[in-house]
Amino acid sequence: MAAAEKTDIKSMNEQELEAMLSQMGQPRFRSGQIYKWLHQGVKSFDEMTNIPVLLREKLVENCYISHAAIEKKLISAYDGTVKYLFSFADGETVESVLMKYHHGYTSCVSTQAGCKMGCDFCATGKGGFRRNLTASEILSQIQAEQLDNNLRISNIVLMGMGEPLDNYDNVIRFLELVSSEHGLNIGMRHISLSTCGIVPRIYELADKKLQLTLSVSLHAPNDEIRSATMPVNKKYPIDELLKACRYYAEKTGRRISFEYAMIDGVNDSDACARELAHRIRGILSHVNLIPVNSVSGSDYRKSRSDRLKSFIDILASSGITATVRRTLGSDINASCGQLRSSVVKSSRGECK
């Protein structure tokens, strides 16, 4: 059977796997054995030593196991943050970052190879869009990091390359798999999903009541500034986005995290802070201020420390909690998109 016609077995949930094996005439317990192997991160059916050889051969004929191969790995000398460039069977590459906090290890994973959203200050967007990742490819990033470092990851942020809600079905399946009791068993309250604001999908996600944390990349207090830096705002303006955010917070009871990249002279004025406070007042939320990263081809610079303090003080005076995101892996450009971009350019004979 051609590879393209084979079943992505690691993207199957327990019920689907059981049904497929039942059609093969296999007893019910086999699905549990195979599911466990898949979620331990095996790369081939030959590694499933308690599965009969004939069944393994049949699985090889009809299915494939997706995995993330390490193409490049950078380790921060400052804080031990590890940045990975992973490749998949078709040669597509994505980035993922492993971070250590006092509460354990967090993996920041990618959901797409590239991104369609085209935000001005994002390195991933400048590289264009290639394809969506499957649920198994998203899961494989976490498995590869755990195996490479011999540790257990306890928290996940879907904030790597791509827009998660633009790959909605695969992301929802990934969330089902990664939180499975017989899989990695990472609870939804330990997962954050970041979106630039695909409004219809925010409503759909809210109705699922998954109890994950929704992080909304807002980055501006009004349509004029946001549309100039984030093309998605032209389709889903701020008022529509914030209406969806209110719905999400009310429906799930979960606090929304508004991500706000602080860009010197663009969105960091006192007037911007006051307008932002006015717009999000009453939404169960927190504001996460992010000094913008330097991106090749962009003139944006991060805000000065006095601007950050003033912004926080103005929000606080309106009863809105804001903090500055801790910077990890600064010496390895740990924000996603930059490592992949340099490798792609190098393969094309361009300067890094």
Side-chain angles (χ1 to χ4, degrees), residues 307-322:
R307 284 282 82 230
L308 285 166
K309 183 180 184 306
S310 180
F311 211 92
I312 290 172
D313 289 345
I314 290 170
L315 292 177
S317 67
S318 294
I320 297 167
T321 302

Side-chain angles (χ1 to χ4, degrees), residues 96-109 141-143 145-146 151-159 174-175 178 184-193 213 254:
S96 183
V97 180
L98 177 66
M99 300 164 284
K100 184 179 181 180
Y101 293 93
H102 67 277
H103 57 260
Y105 289 91
T106 295
S107 176
C108 177
V109 298
Q141 297 169 60
I142 300 167
Q143 292 174 331
E145 291 172 353
Q146 290 194 149
L151 52 80
R152 184 181 187 278
I153 289 168
S154 57
N155 294 270
I156 302 168
V157 290
L158 283 77
M159 295 183 183
F174 160 75
L175 292 171
V178 80
L184 295 184
N185 196 25
I186 298 175
M188 288 291 176
R189 289 178 179 267
H190 296 274
I191 300 174
S192 295
L193 183 152
T213 297
R254 299 287 291 165

